[in-house]
């Protein structure tokens, strides 16, 4: 029997679906949008070429078509969702590339275009810790008073050597400072991490989660590294053939990570969702629901749950 506090299903971790249903008493969907942003480590501001794993869509594979305006992107996806869940509420998810990397006047127009839509209860904005100006922070504070706002910050790893290899072009200190600034303004923070980065060990991946558990974050997205076509990562993999985690290794690491996280931290994602046509490795990632189910089964087998290894949960 599962007695995990933040679950009303067989899950032993704090799922986003559970969180939304409790917070909004409704089914909530995130509608992924591509507002055509660039990135400071693509355009030369802090670096060139972007993160080595980043696809041409800038990690926005399932976002709307950037050739369409935001209203059309939003409504095309929303209308599909409505067929299945006519009573659902929506969160606009600015997903592709760095979604605070523009003057505040431009950001206001983009964000508030989506907030004008019916049944939109909030915004999730994916960005980098080095790409939120003080002026932008003040605007986000205002926005947070009007709607349910979440800022998603890419970190990927706490290992500075790996961070250089993947061309993140920001420091761990920069990341920590931005988490603190956002939390001072009472803005929820969700952090992205990647398991299986080149040459990282299980120790490194657990260290990343231990570090984040000490910060005032509200959610986490755990991805498995996808090696996709036409990226610097593809070239590195073909040249050096670094180890790629198999499914069993990934599941083992994820469960150990969950056991190190405070139970109130919401798990927004627990596996990747690559486009099949672009994926080189690992091919097991294409069976997303098998991965999710196998995580659940292994947690039951181990009598595991989120926060199990923390002193106050033992």
């Amino acid at each position: 029997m599962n007695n995990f506090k933040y679950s009303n299903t067989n899950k032993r971790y704090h799922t986003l679906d559970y969180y939304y249903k409790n917070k909004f008493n409704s089914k909530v969907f995130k509608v992924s949008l591509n507002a055509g942003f660039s990135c400071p480590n693509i355009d030369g501001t802090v670096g060139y070429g972007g993160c080595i794993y980043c696809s041409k869509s800038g990690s926005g594979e399932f976002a709307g078509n950037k050739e369409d305006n935001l209203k059309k992107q939003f409504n095309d996806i929303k209308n599909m969702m409505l067929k299945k869940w006519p009573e659902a509420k929506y969160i606009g998810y600015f997903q592709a590339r760095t979604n605070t990397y523009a003057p505040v006047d431009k950001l206001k127009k983009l964000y508030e275009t989506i907030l004008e839509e019916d049944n939109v209860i909030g915004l999730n904005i994916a960005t980098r810790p080095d790409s939120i100006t003080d002026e932008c922070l003040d605007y986000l504070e205002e926005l947070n008073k009007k709607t349910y706002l979440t800022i998603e910050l890419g970190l990927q790893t706490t290992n500075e050597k790996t961070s250089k290899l993947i061309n993140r072009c920001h420091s761990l200190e920069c990341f920590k400072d931005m988490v603190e600034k956002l939390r001072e303004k009472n803005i929820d923070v969700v952090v992205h991490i990647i398991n299986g980065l080149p040459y990282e060990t299980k120790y490194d991946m657990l260290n990343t989660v231990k570090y984040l558990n000490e910060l005032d974050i509200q959610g986490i997205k755990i991805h498995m590294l996808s090696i996709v076509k036409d990226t610097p990562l593809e070239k590195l993999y073909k040249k050096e053939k670094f180890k790629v985690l198999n499914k069993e290794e990934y599941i083992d690491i994820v469960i150990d990570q969950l056991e190190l996280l405070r139970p109130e931290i919401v798990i927004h994602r627990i596996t990747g969702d690559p486009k099949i046509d672009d994926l080189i490795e690992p091919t097991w990632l294409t069976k997303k629901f098998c991965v999710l189910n196998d995580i659940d089964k292994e947690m039951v087998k181990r009598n595991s749950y989120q926060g199990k290894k923390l002193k106050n949960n033992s």
Side-chain angles (χ1 to χ4, degrees), residues 16 33 88 227 241 294:
L16 185 60
L33 303 164
I227 303 170
K241 288 290 178 192
D294 286 351

Side-chain angles (χ1 to χ4, degrees), residues 228-282:
V228 296
K229 292 174 185 170
D230 300 323
T231 59
L233 183 64
E234 178 195 12
K235 289 178 186 165
L236 182 70
Y237 179 65
K238 285 183 172 170
K239 182 184 169 193
E240 301 192 11
K241 288 290 178 192
F242 56 82
K243 177 176 168 50
V244 175
L245 297 177
N246 63 38
K247 186 175 75 167
E248 291 69 32
E249 288 169 326
Y250 180 76
I251 289 168
D252 173 63
I253 289 165
V254 165
I255 293 172
D256 281 359
Q257 288 173 323
L258 291 173
E259 290 183 349
L260 292 165
L261 284 170
R262 302 189 311 275
E264 64 271 20
I265 292 176
V266 182
I267 311 301
H268 285 235
R269 181 176 276 280
I270 206 165
T271 182
D273 213 0
K275 276 195 170 173
I276 295 172
D277 293 345
D278 295 336
L279 184 68
I280 292 167
E281 286 287 355

